[in-house]
Amino acid sequence: DTEVTQTPKHLVMGMTNKKSLKCEQHMGHRAMYWYKQKAKKPPELMFVYSYEKLSINESVPSRFSPECPNSSLLNLHLHALQPEDSALYLCASSQEIGGEQYFGPGTRLTVT
Amino acid sequence: AQKITQTQPGMFVQEKEAVTLDCTYDTSDPSYGLFWYKQPSSGEMIFLIYQGSYDQQNATEGRYSLNFQKARKSANLVISASQLGDSAMYFCAMREGNSGNTPLVFGKGTRLSVIA
C-alpha cells in the first residue's frame, strides 16, 4: 500500500470558521509533511513531523495548527484563515525526513 | 541563491517523441539526492525517479531516465516515447545531506504539454 489519503478533497470555509484537514498513511513512514501550493507554484513546506514530533515549522502563522495523533495520522487545524490562504494543501510521508516522499491527492481550500 | 533551477516554464513535445526537462542544482554538500515529481491537473504529486549523488549509474524507471551530470550539477529528466497522459507539471527536487533532518527543496516546475 503506497497510498496517502487526504480528506476532504475540497473545502470552502469562512474566515471565522474552524475546520481540520486530515491525512493518513499506512506505509510505516516516520516522517509526515504538510505543504501549501498556490496555482502555478511549487509546493511550499509548512510543517514536518518526525516520529510524531514536530521537527520543522517553516514560520507558519498560528492560524494553522498541525497535530500528529499517531504515526499514521496527520491533521492540520485551521482557524481564522484569510482569503490568501486559499490553496491546495498537500500531505506527504516518507520513511525518514529527506527520503522519497509519497504525496496525497491534496485538499483544495477556498477561504471566503 | 536558488537551490534548484528549472529554466523551462513550459515545454511542448509531439506524442511518441522524447523530451528532456532541465534541472540544475546548487549545493556544497557532497551527499545529496535528486528527485523528479509529476503533478497532473488533479493535483497529486507523483514520484517518478531518484538519483543519489554517489550513484555511479544514471537512474532509469521505465520511460523515465535521469541524465545526471555531476560536474555540471545538472539532473535532467528524459521522457521517452511521450504519451498524452504525460502532460503535467514536472518538479525537480533536492535533499541535501545523507537523509537525516533535511526535507526536499523544489524547483519552480516545468509544464509539459504533449501534442497528438
Side-chain angles (χ1 to χ4, degrees):
Chain A
D1 181 8
T2 57
E3 190 177 326
V4 177
T5 59
Q6 287 186 245
T7 55
K9 288 193 173 172
H10 300 273
L11 179 62
V12 179
M13 61 185 289
M15 290 189 283
T16 58
N17 291 158
K18 284 186 181 181
K19 296 286 184 184
S20 296
L21 309 186
K22 297 187 184 301
C23 174
E24 191 167 0
Q25 57 88 13
H26 295 287
M27 295 177 277
H29 288 173
R30 305 320 299 249
M32 295 186 77
Y33 311 74
W34 279 116
Y35 288 88
K36 173 183 177 180
Q37 187 179 24
K38 301 286 268 185
K40 300 183 181 179
K41 299 285 187 186
E44 295 173 22
L45 184 64
M46 299 174 73
F47 302 104
V48 183
Y49 273 81
S50 178
Y51 291 85
E52 300 164 48
K53 293 196 184 323
L54 184 63
S55 182
I56 296 174
N57 176 345
E58 292 286 332
S59 303
V60 179
S62 59
R63 57 185 185 269
F64 295 91
S65 174
E67 179 198 16
C68 190
N70 61 55
S71 60
S72 300
L73 291 174
L74 185 66
N75 299 323
L76 186 63
H77 302 298
L78 314 173
H79 174 54
L81 294 194
Q82 304 295 312
E84 59 264 29
D85 296 322
S86 298
L88 178 68
Y89 287 83
L90 291 162
C91 173
S93 70
S94 61
Q95 281 288 352
E96 305 282 345
I97 292 179
E100 169 190 321
Q101 291 181 24
Y102 292 86
F103 283 79
T107 294
R108 289 198 185 273
L109 174 68
T110 303
V111 181
T112 60
Chain B
Q2 279 195 7
K3 295 276 188 180
I4 294 285
T5 302
Q6 295 180 253
T7 57
Q8 307 150 314
M11 289 281 287
F12 289 88
V13 65
Q14 201 76 36
E15 197 178 7
K16 300 177 186 173
E17 297 290 313
V19 62
T20 298
L21 306 183
D22 294 342
C23 173
T24 57
Y25 58 92
D26 181 25
T27 180
S28 57
D29 198 316
S31 178
Y32 51 89
L34 297 156
F35 303 76
W36 276 93
Y37 283 86
K38 171 185 177 182
Q39 187 176 39
S41 55
S42 59
E44 185 172 359
M45 295 277 282
I46 303 166
F47 167 74
L48 296 179
I49 197 166
Y50 167 78
Q51 180 86 43
S53 60
Y54 295 120
D55 292 345
Q56 295 296 315
Q57 296 194 328
N58 287 348
T60 61
E61 286 286 346
R63 293 186 298 110
Y64 304 108
S65 59
L66 204 151
N67 184 1
F68 181 44
Q69 298 192 39
K70 200 168 181 177
R72 289 185 165 186
K73 293 189 175 179
S74 76
N76 298 340
L77 177 70
V78 180
I79 306 174
S80 61
S82 297
Q83 301 172 356
L84 295 177
D86 294 334
S87 295
M89 281 291 287
Y90 288 80
F91 291 97
C92 180
M94 177 175 67
R95 177 213 69 223
E96 290 180 285
N98 190 18
S99 192
N101 257 352
T102 53
L104 299 183
V105 175
F106 287 86
K108 293 188 175 183
T110 295
R111 178 166 294 283
L112 177 67
S113 299
V114 180
I115 306 164

